[in-house]
Amino acid sequence: MSALSPEALVALDGIADHQRQRTSRIASVLGNRLGASALDYAVAHHLLEGAEHAARARDADRLAWYRRTTVRDLTHLSAGPHIVLSPRPADLLRSEISETAYYLVGPDTAPAPPEAYRLVRAALASATEHGFGTLLTQHAPVICLLNRRRLDETLHSWALTRLPGTVFTDYTAHPEVLARDLIHEAAHNWLNDALAAHDVRLPADVTFFSPWRGTSRPVYGFLHACWAFSLTVLYARQARYDATGAVVPFLDAHLRQQEDQFASVTDSLAEALSYVPAEIVRDHVSRAVGRILQLA
């Protein structure tokens, strides 16, 4: 395997142990028997968050469901090692500490429609073909499809630190576009796990200009953007050769935009990475961005 292959870029010692330990602690709190897979890790956070909501609402039946449920009880929602969700906008939640919407698996969660599963499978196949299958299995095992859009419409996607392994995203009819956005959000989940696994704490008062936001951002947000967008570029460079129709100019436009953005962060990246004490994490981010700059 090439030292710069996507599989190598996301292979990091410590992450799997971090996920297993975190899952075990949540299972202990809930009193159930969760497994040790990446899907268990993602589902565990849904169960913990859902149990807290149910306890606050004094809903004993719902609390009991969250405390006893395991991944084995959710096979009706799964597509292989992934759970696919397609909630209604009215089902999305917002917390007091964040305006970002999210959704929790619950006893009333219905399976996504067949076309959603077909699109996800095709997107996963494309990502896997180009070296990102492990990233999506380990860091996007729960996929929440939101609003269907056209290629010329803005696509929104996000991940939340308190629901690691879950990705929320708008989508089009094109699997390559969904794969790109799943890779982007899975990359955010990866970096959060990497920082946690290696006990990295970044200063909140040090900022760098982020061309993706057009404003200065703390080290954490700046590095997240560099890492996540570098992986989407690596994917899009390969996927465009297999794509057909309108997706080709769509991916080409993404590549042109990102190459301009990365050209403007070259001088800042080394300084931003100097705040990451874990050499192994620094190396992975540096190698990913370095590959973008080298091949631009």
Side-chain angles (χ1 to χ4, degrees):
M1 182 167 61
S2 167
L4 288 176
S5 70
E7 292 283 355
L9 286 173
V10 301
L12 183 70
D13 290 342
I15 287 182
D17 286 342
H18 163 73
Q19 291 188 346
R20 284 192 293 267
Q21 291 167 9
R22 176 69 177 167
T23 304
S24 178
R25 288 196 293 268
I26 292 175
S28 179
V29 169
L30 295 174
N32 71 8
R33 295 186 176 182
L34 290 166
S37 71
L39 181 56
D40 285 284
Y41 173 65
V43 167
H45 289 81
H46 280 254
L47 300 178
L48 183 64
E49 183 89 6
E52 181 180 353
H53 280 248
R56 291 181 182 275
R58 301 180 183 275
D59 188 333
D61 290 341
R62 199 170 185 86
L63 175 60
W65 186 90
Y66 279 111
R67 295 193 64 183
R68 70 172 181 266
T69 294
T70 68
V71 167
R72 291 187 298 274
D73 302 309
L74 302 175
T75 55
H76 62 295
L77 305 175
S78 65
H82 297 263
I83 282 177
V84 181
L85 307 173
S86 186
R88 300 171 302 170
D91 295 329
L92 296 180
L93 306 170
R94 286 178 172 81
S95 75
E96 296 177 357
I97 62 174
S98 174
E99 286 297 316
T100 305
Y102 63 102
Y103 177 79
L104 296 174
V105 172
D108 47 359
T109 298
E115 58 268 23
Y117 285 101
R118 287 193 292 270
L119 178 64
V120 167
R121 287 191 180 99
L124 294 174
S126 178
T128 299
E129 179 182 356
H130 299 298
F132 292 93
T134 297
L135 175 71
L136 297 190
T137 298
Q138 297 297 317
H139 300 282
V142 177
I143 297 170
C144 191
L145 298 182
L146 299 173
N147 305 295
R148 178 161 176 165
R149 306 291 192 191
R150 301 188 309 269
L151 276 178
D152 62 344
E153 294 183 300
T154 300
L155 297 168
H156 298 285
S157 65
W158 61 89
L160 288 79
T161 55
R162 67 179 179 278
L163 291 178
T166 296
V167 167
F168 299 87
T169 185
D170 291 341
Y171 61 99
T172 71
H174 306 280
E176 297 89 352
V177 179
L178 178 57
R180 181 202 66 167
D181 294 338
L182 292 177
I183 289 166
H184 181 96
E185 299 306 333
H188 286 307
N189 287 334
W190 181 97
L191 186 53
N192 285 333
D193 279 351
L195 296 174
H198 291 273
D199 198 26
V200 174
R201 293 174 174 81
L202 299 172
D205 58 344
V206 178
T207 63
F208 295 89
F209 181 78
S210 171
W212 295 280
R213 292 287 184 89
T215 187
S216 292
R217 300 195 69 197
V219 180
Y220 175 84
F222 176 79
L223 291 179
H224 260 280
C226 289
W227 169 250
F229 280 110
S230 68
L231 296 193
T232 68
V233 169
L234 292 177
Y235 167 75
R237 280 178 177 163
Q238 298 303 314
R240 69 169 306 283
Y241 294 110
D242 301 324
T244 59
V247 177
V248 177
F250 178 90
L251 293 177
D252 285 344
H254 176 72
L255 291 171
R256 287 193 300 272
Q257 179 190 53
Q258 294 309 313
E259 286 168 359
D260 289 342
Q261 310 286 45
F262 276 105
S264 68
V265 302
T266 306
D267 295 335
S268 301
L269 180 62
E271 183 181 352
L273 284 172
S274 71
Y275 291 96
V276 180
E279 181 180 0
I280 191 171
V281 178
R282 290 201 309 270
D283 182 58
H284 279 255
V285 177
S286 178
R287 286 160 61 201
V289 177
R291 185 170 176 188
I292 301 306
L293 298 173
Q294 178 185 7
L295 300 178

